[in-house]
Amino acid sequence: MIRCEEIMAWVRELDLVYQSNKASLTELDAAIGDADHGINMVRGFSAAAKELSEQTPPDIGAILKALAMILMKKVGGASGPLYGTFFLKASMTCNGRTSIGAEDLVVLFEAGVAGIRQRGKAKEGDKTMIDAWEPAVRAMREAFSGGGDVSEILRAAVSAGESGRDATISLAARKGRASYLGERSRGHQDPGATSAVLMLKAARDTLA
Amino acid sequence: MKKLMNDPGDLVVESLRGMEAAHGDILRVSYEPAYIVRADAPVRGKVGVLSGGGSGHEPMHGGYVGPGMLGAACPGAIFTSPTPDQIEEATRALDGGAGVIYLVKNYTGDVLNFESAAELCVSAGIPVETVIIDDDVAVQDSSFTAGRRGVGATVLIEKIVGAAAERGMGLAEVTGLARTLNEEARSMGVALSSCTVPEAGKPTFDLGADEIELGIGIHGEPGRERRTIRPARELVEYMSEAIFSDLPFHRGDSIIVLLNGMGGTPLIELYLLYGELERVARTRGLHIRRRLVGNYITSLEMQGFSMTALRSDDRILGLWDDPVHTASIRWGS
């Protein structure tokens, strides 16, 4: 069972995780983008951890919605609207709920990823965060269908997300700023897919 | 890294404070959320012209806020698009009842954030039209990329669209004009050195002592290819070919050109480059009717330059000559 406390622990963990990966995410972005991804993620999640701890909304839907609005305001770049949309769509699956179970968690992630897909219009293979998200949510659904609990579902998500993230290294980008490089983007790991996997790992470490 | 600043995280806001102090007669600054708006906004019955984007490209966009050009500008963090709340607030501050046009450079982040803001404003009853600017010929335009980047044409389009709005043209007409201008403009840039994003602390990319990056983007994104530096004459010829053959521009066309420095290139070199460009244009039978030479859309302290050509008829030239009074572009009265 996941309660508001676990969701808040996830938010705090995201703040810490992006802080400790700020330089590496920014370096990945410098190679094929514009060298701001780590900086932007830290700005967004630090603000979120601070604001939400000062005034924690009453239910999971409200926490995720508040998180979404903070990210849209603070992150900027493409990742602001994309992660903002992820949490906004996710929040709609658990309005008014103070606890959710394994299937709710799968539905929450599926809705969030559907939001990213719709807003960013990227497909798998375009070398974007979608390359981590799509296999991760498929693995979550499979793990749940196979009788997995929250912990097993999130471990499956991390593992599939990591494979998807690693596969971006050999891809040529077709969406986002890296697409301007075309073939020259091959050989570099996508920063968005990398920050997506960090988000899944933080979920695994706090929600299960 | 050596930069003239206090805390890297405060650079944008502290620069805005200085700008407000220097140009309070032309513009007002809001800090939370951050936007710059012309001092006399909202102007009743006139279309508001709003642009924005990452900081680090000064004087674009805040330097172009004022009568005859932009009504408002939304600065993001360095090289990072502004967020929907900034754009929405700026739109409200600007709207004088005739609607607002967004001039957006084609970068995924900018497009997504302006799209979100437009949805918010339209649902609040403010008519908003968006025109995406994508003039960079260095980038292949295909369904396999995010499309061409918006670069130097943005400056020219902001001036001309701002003049049209000042004359009292309606939102639909101003929007049509902006689209036409974007279709008629082409640009390309070259970098001699990288730039350093203050919070990153080190150069975005490395160039060898004798290397240049052709087709550089305004955020230090790599372009077409890396080569050994050549004489200025050859660089201008290479870039002219890329720009003029792309539209294509035809013998006899009238054009407005922008010979732009990327922030770290001295004017003595920019004027030399402009001289070469005049020569190349003449041999191609192109008439440069108006020009800007200087730092207008920069990439922090990057050394390098870009060239933009905009095909223009008498109507466009007339709008270009209309009075403008901003921090960085002023003429007429």
Side-chain angles (χ1 to χ4, degrees):
Chain A
M1 200 60 84
I2 300 167
R3 299 159 303 165
C4 292
E5 284 161 63
E6 281 80 22
I7 297 289
M8 280 305 301
W10 185 25
V11 174
R12 285 192 298 272
E13 178 69 9
L14 286 168
D15 176 24
L16 299 177
V17 161
Y18 289 124
Q19 280 185 43
S20 54
N21 288 276
K22 180 178 173 181
S24 61
L25 284 174
T26 297
E27 261 169 53
L28 288 174
D29 195 25
I32 56 173
D34 57 352
D36 65 2
H37 189 49
I39 297 162
N40 295 344
M41 294 299 276
V42 168
R43 188 171 50 243
F45 281 93
S46 294
K50 186 167 175 290
E51 288 182 35
L52 292 177
S53 66
E54 282 165 3
Q55 197 174 15
T56 305
D59 62 79
I60 296 177
I63 296 173
L64 296 178
K65 187 176 180 202
L67 174 59
M69 300 318 287
I70 296 167
L71 296 180
M72 284 208 199
K73 282 186 185 179
K74 295 286 179 182
V75 177
S79 39
L82 293 173
Y83 281 120
T85 301
F86 174 88
F87 285 108
L88 192 63
K89 298 290 180 189
S91 76
M92 293 171 184
T93 67
C94 46
N95 278 330
R97 302 276 299 274
T98 50
S99 69
I100 56 173
E103 183 165 24
D104 301 322
L105 182 69
V106 177
V107 169
L108 182 156
F109 271 88
E110 284 172 341
V113 171
I116 293 178
R117 196 187 298 134
Q118 188 190 5
R119 176 68 69 199
K121 298 177 186 75
K123 295 194 251 325
E124 272 184 275
D126 286 347
K127 197 180 182 102
T128 71
M129 63 168 72
I130 277 290
D131 289 315
W133 282 122
E134 297 280 12
V137 290
R138 278 199 301 272
M140 291 176 90
R141 176 56 68 180
E142 271 171 42
F144 173 73
S145 302
D149 61 9
V150 167
S151 168
E152 285 157 340
I153 288 169
L154 286 168
R155 275 186 281 138
V158 169
S159 160
E162 284 176 332
S163 305
R165 174 201 67 195
D166 294 346
T168 64
I169 296 173
S170 59
L171 293 171
R174 289 190 296 221
K175 276 276 187 287
R177 204 164 278 176
S179 69
Y180 303 134
L181 286 170
E183 288 299 313
R184 284 166 77 186
S185 66
R186 285 191 207 274
H188 299 280
Q189 184 174 307
D190 182 63
T194 309
S195 64
V197 169
L198 292 171
M199 190 171 285
L200 288 165
K201 284 183 171 170
R204 177 198 64 193
D205 295 344
T206 53
L207 301 182
Chain B
M1 173 180 65
K2 278 190 286 189
K3 282 188 191 282
L4 300 167
M5 60 183 179
N6 300 308
D7 184 309
D10 297 333
L11 175 54
V12 172
V13 163
E14 291 181 355
S15 181
L16 285 175
R17 285 195 202 289
M19 189 159 198
E20 185 180 34
H23 302 294
D25 55 326
I26 303 174
L27 49 86
R28 293 197 307 266
V29 177
S30 158
Y31 294 92
E32 199 57 55
Y35 62 85
I36 300 163
V37 64
R38 53 190 273 185
D40 58 353
V43 182
R44 278 285 129 217
K46 287 190 183 172
V47 170
V49 184
L50 187 153
S51 191
S55 294
H57 306 302
E58 292 69 23
M60 193 181 73
H61 298 272
Y64 304 140
V65 171
M69 207 161 168
L70 292 180
C74 298
I78 302 276
F79 293 174
T80 299
S81 71
T83 53
D85 57 314
Q86 281 174 272
I87 302 165
E88 185 195 4
E89 286 296 315
T91 306
R92 289 176 188 277
L94 178 60
D95 179 42
V100 174
I101 181 172
Y102 292 169
L103 300 175
V104 182
K105 301 189 296 304
N106 189 32
Y107 298 96
T108 306
D110 293 69
V111 171
L112 291 181
N113 283 285
F114 273 94
E115 207 174 83
S116 303
E119 285 169 14
L120 293 171
C121 292
V122 169
S123 69
I126 302 175
V128 170
E129 291 288 346
T130 300
V131 175
I132 307 288
I133 299 170
D134 58 349
D135 53 311
D136 189 353
V137 303
V139 172
Q140 289 306 310
D141 182 18
S142 78
S143 54
F144 298 111
T145 70
R148 286 181 160 175
R149 303 177 292 220
V151 287
T154 313
V155 179
L156 308 183
I157 293 172
E158 286 175 359
K159 165 67 188 85
I160 295 163
V161 168
E166 203 71 48
R167 284 188 188 182
M169 281 186 203
L171 184 57
E173 200 181 349
V174 167
T175 304
L177 172 66
R179 295 221 163 94
T180 302
L181 293 170
N182 181 55
E183 283 162 17
E184 298 285 303
R186 294 293 186 274
S187 299
M188 189 166 172
V190 60
L192 276 57
S193 70
S194 180
C195 54
T196 297
V197 175
E199 285 198 71
K202 52 187 174 186
T204 301
F205 58 95
D206 294 309
L207 276 177
D210 60 349
E211 275 184 327
I212 59 171
E213 179 86 28
L214 287 161
I216 193 78
I218 54 173
H219 311 89
E221 317 93 304
R224 283 190 176 183
E225 55 179 323
R226 205 163 267 206
R227 281 199 192 170
T228 305
I229 180 108
R230 307 293 306 151
R233 181 178 304 119
E234 289 177 35
L235 289 179
V236 171
E237 281 165 1
Y238 174 93
M239 288 163 71
S240 298
E241 172 59 28
I243 291 168
F244 294 137
S245 65
D246 190 273
L247 191 55
F249 291 81
H250 297 295
R251 194 162 279 278
D253 280 349
S254 288
I255 55 176
I256 299 173
V257 301
L258 167 62
L259 193 299
N260 173 63
M262 298 297 240
T265 300
L267 267 176
I268 189 171
E269 293 177 24
L270 296 181
Y271 277 115
L272 179 151
L273 292 163
Y274 180 74
E276 296 292 348
L277 175 57
E278 272 268 3
R279 181 182 57 78
V280 172
R282 206 160 40 238
T283 61
R284 287 176 172 260
L286 297 170
H287 304 295
I288 300 180
R289 302 283 298 276
R290 305 288 186 277
R291 78 284 301 146
L292 287 176
V293 181
N295 293 294
Y296 289 94
I297 168 172
T298 61
S299 194
L300 294 169
E301 75 281 33
M302 180 185 285
Q303 278 182 282
F305 75 102
S306 67
M307 299 182 350
T308 300
L310 167 67
R311 181 155 56 199
S312 307
D313 54 19
D314 287 341
R315 181 177 81 119
I316 292 173
L317 292 171
L319 288 164
W320 179 261
D321 291 339
D322 272 7
V324 56
H325 190 83
T326 70
S328 298
I329 293 184
R330 341 183 148 172
W331 57 70
S333 57

